[in-house]
Amino acid sequence: MSTVPTPLIIDTDPGLDDALAILLALGSPEVDLIGVTTVAGNTSLANTTDNALRILELAGRTDIPVAAGASRALIREAPRTAEYVHGSDGLGGLPLPAPSVPPVASHAVTFLAERLLSTPKPVTVAAIGPLTNIALLVATHPEAAARIGRLVVMGGAARGGNVAPTAEFNIWSDPEAAHRVFSAGLPLTMIGLDVTDRSVITVGDVNGMGDGRVARFVEDSVGFYGRFHQDRYGTTDTYQHDALALAEVIIPGIVETSHHYVTVDCGETLSRGTTIVDLNDVTGHPPNAHVALEFDHPRFVEVLVGRLKDLDTKVR
Ligand code: RIB
Ligand code: CA
């Protein structure tokens, strides 16, 4: 097992579950978060960028650069954002410190390209929002995209959906971007609803984490997110979609995957944004994604809560 941390960039649309995913990475010595790039998705780009800055401020990690990216989807604007889930500001209106540093001047895509070309070790990219920035990277800096060591995407589903009968929010928000990314030949792992719809973290899991500021934010966040789940699903259990993707980055193998061909429906019907996963390999197309189908839930809870507690011991 390598003791040298893996360089990591998180492309994100914070987002309550994005926030826990970013904090999980900051509490994990297996990875070195060298940058955060933001994209519109759960809420506006202005909000997702401000939220990323505030999350890093909370964790005392204003040394980590934040670069703002795409403010809308490539071709057709997403029909809606997800403030109905994450609150009007994207983080439940929860109290967080104001940013003391601005985002960097570079666009997220330029930032990604520069980091990928200048970092000696292969960089892992965790994409936990719509894939617009990653698609633009592939299109404008293919030589940089080719240096991605691993691309872990929270998005899609082999079966089911959450914003449409068969579509998951990140893919549905920018299907053309997702299609470009899935067809780019990148070392892609897809962490879809097949597993994240079971990535339950309960209020009980995070209560009693201590009185640190990370613990307080996490408890408030799960509480707020839980109220949405109560209204929508009849339980305060929360699905921590993005944190499971980061858990796979940090503990490879916590999620069981199967290698299959995946493409994206970019049509204009109800199935727009569907990830079409060839689970039975009937198309004859070569596999292009490691698709998550099972995961170790007790281990996930242990890793998430444990690393968030560890982070709190560093934040004073
Ligand atoms: O469908 C879940 C995904 O959409 C998560 O990344 C969540 O943050 C939202 O962006
Ligand atoms: Ca997200």
Side-chain angles (χ1 to χ4, degrees):
M1 173 65 122
S2 166
T3 54
V4 178
T6 300
L8 169 68
I9 296 174
I10 298 177
D11 189 70
T12 179
D13 64 333
L16 291 165
D17 59 328
D18 303 68
L20 263 62
I22 294 166
L23 294 171
L24 169 59
L26 294 174
S28 299
E30 296 88 346
V31 294
D32 174 20
L33 186 58
I34 60 173
V36 174
T37 53
T38 57
V39 65
N42 282 319
T43 183
S44 66
L45 178 68
N47 280 348
T48 61
T49 304
D50 192 52
N51 291 342
L53 291 166
R54 296 194 298 157
I55 293 160
L56 294 173
E57 194 79 36
L58 174 79
R61 292 302 308 273
T62 55
D63 58 298
I64 296 173
V66 173
S71 61
R72 52 149 292 167
L74 289 184
I75 306 297
R76 205 179 83 184
E77 290 221 66
R80 69 170 182 272
T81 56
E83 278 103 356
Y84 67 99
V85 179
H86 299 271
S88 59
D89 69 347
L91 287 181
L94 300 177
L96 276 166
S100 62
V101 296
V104 298
S106 303
H107 187 282
V109 175
T110 306
F111 177 87
L112 279 160
E114 288 172 350
R115 279 290 193 276
L116 287 163
L117 291 170
S118 64
T119 304
K121 271 194 72 175
V123 177
T124 291
V125 176
I128 57 177
L131 291 170
T132 318
N133 289 338
I134 311 302
L136 289 169
L137 175 73
V138 166
T140 59
H141 299 280
E143 76 291 349
R147 286 178 53 86
I148 292 174
R150 186 183 189 199
L151 175 63
V152 179
V153 170
M154 190 282 131
R159 303 177 186 88
N162 54 8
V163 282
T166 59
E168 175 280 327
F169 179 82
N170 287 337
I171 306 300
W172 173 88
S173 293
D174 195 344
E176 287 78 10
H179 188 282
R180 183 68 189 263
V181 171
F182 275 82
S183 57
L186 298 174
L188 195 155
T189 296
M190 176 180 127
I191 309 292
L193 296 177
D194 312 278
V195 287
T196 71
D197 260 352
R198 291 180 280 133
S199 62
V200 169
I201 293 292
T202 67
V203 172
D205 288 328
V206 296
N207 278 348
M209 276 180 57
D211 59 359
R213 58 188 195 186
V214 171
R216 285 200 303 275
F217 171 77
V218 169
E219 288 182 27
D220 292 347
S221 169
V222 171
F224 182 95
Y225 200 22
R227 285 188 286 281
F228 162 75
H229 285 77
Q230 176 68 46
D231 295 345
R232 175 75 174 272
Y233 301 108
T235 168
T236 57
D237 294 351
T238 67
Y239 303 139
Q240 294 296 338
H241 307 277
D242 295 335
L244 183 56
L246 265 296
E248 172 55 25
V249 168
I250 294 155
I251 315 276
I254 198 170
V255 171
E256 290 173 34
T257 63
S258 185
H259 206 194
H260 296 288
Y261 172 69
V262 180
T263 191
V264 180
D265 180 339
C266 296
E268 303 294 330
T269 65
L270 185 58
S271 60
R272 176 173 171 81
T274 296
T275 45
I276 302 163
V277 181
D278 187 5
L279 286 175
N280 298 313
D281 304 319
V282 297
T283 65
H285 291 300
N288 58 349
H290 297 277
V291 178
L293 296 173
E294 292 298 336
F295 76 111
D296 183 340
H297 182 255
R299 180 89 169 105
F300 168 61
V301 175
E302 176 198 5
V303 168
L304 180 58
V305 174
R307 299 310 170 81
L308 292 174
K309 284 182 176 176
D310 291 348
L311 178 60
D312 233 346
T313 64
K314 301 174 195 167
V315 174
R316 289 292 173 222

